[in-house]
Every structure is written in C-alpha cells, then in structure tokens.
Amino acid sequence: MNFYYSDDQKNLITGISNSIKNFDDNYWLKCDNEAAFPHDFVKTLADGGWLGIAMPEKYGGSNLGVTEAALMMMIIAEKGGMTAASSIHMNIFGPSALVKFASEKQKIKWLPKIISGETKMCFAVTEPDTGLDTTRLKAKAVKNNDHYIINGRKIWTSPAQITNKIMIIARTSERNDKHPTQGLSLFYTDFNRDYIEARVIHKMGRAAVDSNELFIDNLKVPNDDLVGEEGKGFSYLIQSLNPERILVASEAYGIAKNALDRAVKYAKERIVFERTIGKNQSIQHPLADGWAKLESVKLLILKAANLYDNKEPCGTEANAAKYLAAEFGIEICKQAIATHGGMGYAKEYHVERLFREMMIPYLAPVSQQLILSYIAENALGLEKSY
C-alpha cells in the first residue's frame, strides 16, 4: 500500500498549478459578480491539453486515469472554487460515455474537438417532474427514417448558454415496469437553438456558469448522432456515475481546502484583545478538526479513484467519498466564515462565495439521503428502501 504520489502525479500537480496561477481571487470574484463565464480560464486549460486528461491518446488525450483527473480537479477547485471546476467539469467526465460506447467514426469526429476546447458541451438528463428517478424520464425521441425528433423538457443543464453540443438522454420506447431501465437512448448532437430554448435559472451561487431549463421542440437529430444501441442509454449513463461522484468529491475537497486555508491565514493575522485569534482554542479546534476531516476524505477519494482505474468495484467508495466531502465541506466553509467574524460575510474575503458554491456538491448530482440509502443497501446489506 503506497500513499505517495508518483513522479508523474507530482509533475501533473506542478503543471496544472503553474497553468492556472495567474487566475487570482479578483478574477473569480469578478466572474461571480458579473455572472461572466471564465472563457479565458477554459482556453488556458484547453491549450495546455488538460481537458483530455482522461481520454485516449489517439484522439488527443493524455490517457491518464480518474485518479489523475481527481487530483487535477482538487487543485482547480482549490484555486477557483466551483466556478472554476464547473467550467470544465463536463469535459472531464461527460465524454466517458462517448469513449466507451460511441463508434470509432463518432469518436474520431467528436473527441478531438472536445479535448481541444473547440466543442463546448452540456449534458441533459434531469427533468422537472422526475428528479432522481431517471427511469421515468419523459423526453421522447421518435424515429423517422434517417433521423429522430426529440421533444421534452430538461432542467439544471449547464452551461447551455455557451454550448454548441448537447448530450441528451430521451425515451425511444414506452417505459416497461418489468424492465424500467430499458427504452432510454443517448444522443450527442448539435445544440440547435432554433429548436432548443435555454432559460437561465438564477441561483444561489456559481453565477458565472449558467444552469438552465431546456424546452426542446421538434429537435431533429440524425441517426448518426445516436450513441451505441437504441434503448441502452440508461446503462451507458450508469457507467459515468462513479467517475462523476469521484470528481464531485474532489471538487468539494478543493473548495473546502480553499476555505480552510483562508480561515487559518486570517486566524494568524487577526488580533483581538492584543493576541491573534488563532491562539484561542475555540478557533484552533474547529480548524484542526476540519484539517483532519479533509485528510481522511482525500484518502477515500483517491481509494475510490484507484479502484475505478484498476477496474474494481467502487460504487460504495465513490458514493461515500461524495457524501463525506460534501458534509465536511459545508461544515468547514461555515467555520471559515465564522473564523472571519463579520468580515466572513463580506465578498472581499471570498469565504461566503465558497460556502454558497459548496451547496452544489452537497445537492448534486445525487442527494446525500439517496447516497446513504445506497450505502445501507450495498455496504451493509440492508433492504432497499426506495
């Protein structure tokens, strides 16, 4: 059992840190205040080849594992919060279904453009009336000779305002209660704004990366844009769940690490009653507790990633990592605000932004409660509760 980074992983950490070092606090505060997508940040990462970190070399990627992708997302989130992470999140985990299930012709056509940053994609899964019950999705794709016609609604699709491609799951046959996961198909196609209306959802945090409700009206999709086999889209979607859990956990870790470091710095500098507040145990102990929790969850994240990269079952670990990273992250961000006192509520100290952004990995892509149900069933052998 080895807890040390390899030389390649050390180089990766140094390389990504150097690539994004010029994007400072003022940059991210401006993005947040102006709801401005960080295009130059994404371009810098694309130019450095980072968007293809976990994709095959033959299409322009680096062919590294989810472990390396997790390390990268930890650093990115630690630097720029969820705004930075979300600006490229879809490029890192989203194409995994294309890598595994698209035809060779489709991969050659699609993947290099994703890796280079030429393509900006969104992933439309969730619908307003179904929530986490994906087997009951209602968006329909009806086949008509050489194309499909898609109609329906999607919600929480990011970043649809700036995307030019959409990966969408839709029903191609009626739901069968005996086989509820069948009949859903996956498509990767042009985001045609003549037939897709994207309405921005104004939200609590991460204003720079838009979230949207989509209204899809007679979107024509060529047969060539069907990924894999018709009716097997749900099984393809499942394949990407564990890596996404791991990456979201990594992002939550990075945000919490950012908040903790700011709190520690402030505790060392802030003088009250002629002594630094960091000398007081009521300040020290919560920060020390946060450090210990972050170290433990980082080990679990990397364990889950290592299992995935070695093609071992990792669902329980991936879900537990997401759960703990979000729980600890909320707690640490809250404590970072409290350590700053009244100034923690001020935007110039950034911790209030990190707290707001931490709510995203807490709520998505799956609820904390559903994760506990999954762990109870799969790790403890208890009966399914939903």
Side-chain angles (χ1 to χ4, degrees):
M1 188 176 297
N2 187 352
F3 291 94
Y4 295 98
Y5 294 138
S6 68
D7 288 341
D8 287 342
Q9 289 169 340
K10 290 177 183 177
N11 291 335
L12 181 148
I13 291 169
T14 300
I16 187 64
S17 298
N18 287 337
S19 292
I20 63 176
K21 65 182 178 182
N22 292 329
F23 297 94
D24 59 11
D25 288 345
N26 291 330
Y27 176 83
W28 297 113
L29 183 59
K30 183 177 181 182
C31 286
D32 188 54
N33 286 339
E34 298 179 2
F37 189 85
H39 288 286
D40 46 353
F41 175 76
V42 174
K43 186 177 186 305
T44 295
L45 292 175
D47 290 347
W50 297 104
L51 299 186
I53 187 170
M55 284 192 267
E57 285 185 78
K58 66 183 295 186
Y59 309 111
S62 300
N63 203 36
L64 299 177
V66 170
T67 300
E68 286 73 26
L71 289 172
M72 182 179 80
M73 297 311 291
M74 285 180 187
I75 295 165
I76 286 173
E78 186 177 343
K79 179 70 173 179
M82 204 65 190
T83 298
S86 293
S87 69
I88 65 162
H89 175 87
M90 189 55 60
N91 290 74
I92 305 303
F93 101 93
S96 62
L98 305 182
V99 172
K100 290 187 177 182
F101 302 110
S103 68
E104 184 63 21
K105 181 180 178 181
Q106 289 173 327
K107 291 177 189 178
I108 292 170
K109 180 180 178 182
W110 295 337
L111 294 182
K113 292 181 180 180
I114 295 174
I115 293 168
S116 70
E118 179 181 344
T119 290
K120 292 181 174 60
M121 63 177 289
C122 63
F123 199 177
V125 179
T126 307
E127 295 181 2
D129 300 323
T130 58
L132 293 170
D133 192 355
T134 307
T135 66
R136 297 186 185 276
L137 293 177
K138 298 177 182 178
K140 287 189 176 182
V142 178
K143 192 167 184 178
N144 184 1
N145 296 320
D146 63 346
H147 64 272
Y148 292 81
I149 298 293
I150 297 182
N151 285 280
R153 292 168 63 194
K154 297 290 182 179
I155 199 168
W156 295 115
T157 305
S158 302
Q161 294 297 317
I162 57 98
T163 193
N164 54 355
K165 284 285 187 178
I166 181 172
M167 186 149 61
I168 183 171
I169 190 165
R171 185 161 290 287
T172 45
S173 62
E174 294 299 320
R175 186 180 188 275
N176 184 329
D177 289 338
K178 291 184 178 180
H179 305 285
T181 63
Q182 296 180 9
L184 291 166
S185 299
L186 187 65
F187 301 88
Y188 180 79
T189 193
D190 292 338
F191 196 103
N192 190 332
R193 297 180 189 276
D194 291 335
Y195 303 96
I196 306 174
E197 180 187 357
R199 295 182 188 173
V200 172
I201 300 170
H202 298 286
K203 53 192 188 293
M204 178 180 177
R206 204 201 66 184
V209 181
D210 55 272
S211 298
N212 303 267
E213 185 169 8
L214 304 185
F215 296 82
I216 305 166
D217 186 16
N218 292 325
L219 175 67
K220 187 176 180 179
V221 178
N223 289 347
D224 288 345
D225 290 350
L226 172 69
V227 178
E229 296 182 41
E230 183 179 293
K232 293 189 176 182
F234 185 88
S235 64
Y236 302 160
L237 181 64
I238 290 294
Q239 294 288 325
S240 67
L241 293 186
N242 286 332
E244 187 183 25
R245 302 283 193 271
I246 293 166
L247 294 183
V248 169
S250 302
E251 292 156 13
Y253 167 89
I255 296 169
K257 179 70 164 52
N258 185 328
L260 181 64
D261 288 348
R262 291 178 188 278
V264 170
K265 182 176 184 293
Y266 190 82
K268 290 177 179 178
E269 296 173 350
R270 174 65 168 161
I271 297 175
V272 179
F273 298 118
E274 300 182 336
R275 57 192 275 161
T276 61
I277 62 173
K279 193 173 183 179
N280 301 317
Q281 290 180 350
S282 60
I283 298 292
Q284 287 183 355
H285 287 184
L287 299 180
D289 179 73
W291 181 90
K293 287 175 175 175
L294 278 183
E295 286 296 300
S296 66
V297 79
K298 186 176 184 180
L299 291 175
L300 184 54
I301 292 169
L302 294 177
K303 178 184 178 182
N306 183 264
L307 288 170
Y308 182 87
D309 287 339
N310 285 284
K311 297 180 172 53
E312 296 288 340
C314 67
T316 303
E317 290 81 3
N319 277 280
K322 186 274 183 187
Y323 175 83
L324 289 177
E327 291 289 329
F328 294 164
I330 287 286
E331 185 180 324
I332 290 167
C333 287
K334 176 183 172 183
Q335 188 58 45
I337 292 174
T339 300
H340 284 75
M343 297 313 296
Y345 207 63
K347 284 198 169 188
E348 66 180 290
Y349 283 85
H350 302 280
V351 286
E352 63 83 30
R353 171 173 60 85
L354 297 173
F355 179 82
R356 287 186 285 114
E357 293 187 348
M358 182 58 77
M359 287 303 300
I360 297 174
Y362 185 82
L363 295 170
V366 61
S367 71
Q368 298 292 85
Q369 292 74 25
L370 196 56
I371 284 181
L372 291 179
S373 294
Y374 179 93
I375 292 172
E377 180 185 352
N378 291 276
L380 305 179
L382 298 175
E383 293 181 60
K384 189 173 182 177
S385 61
Y386 60 95

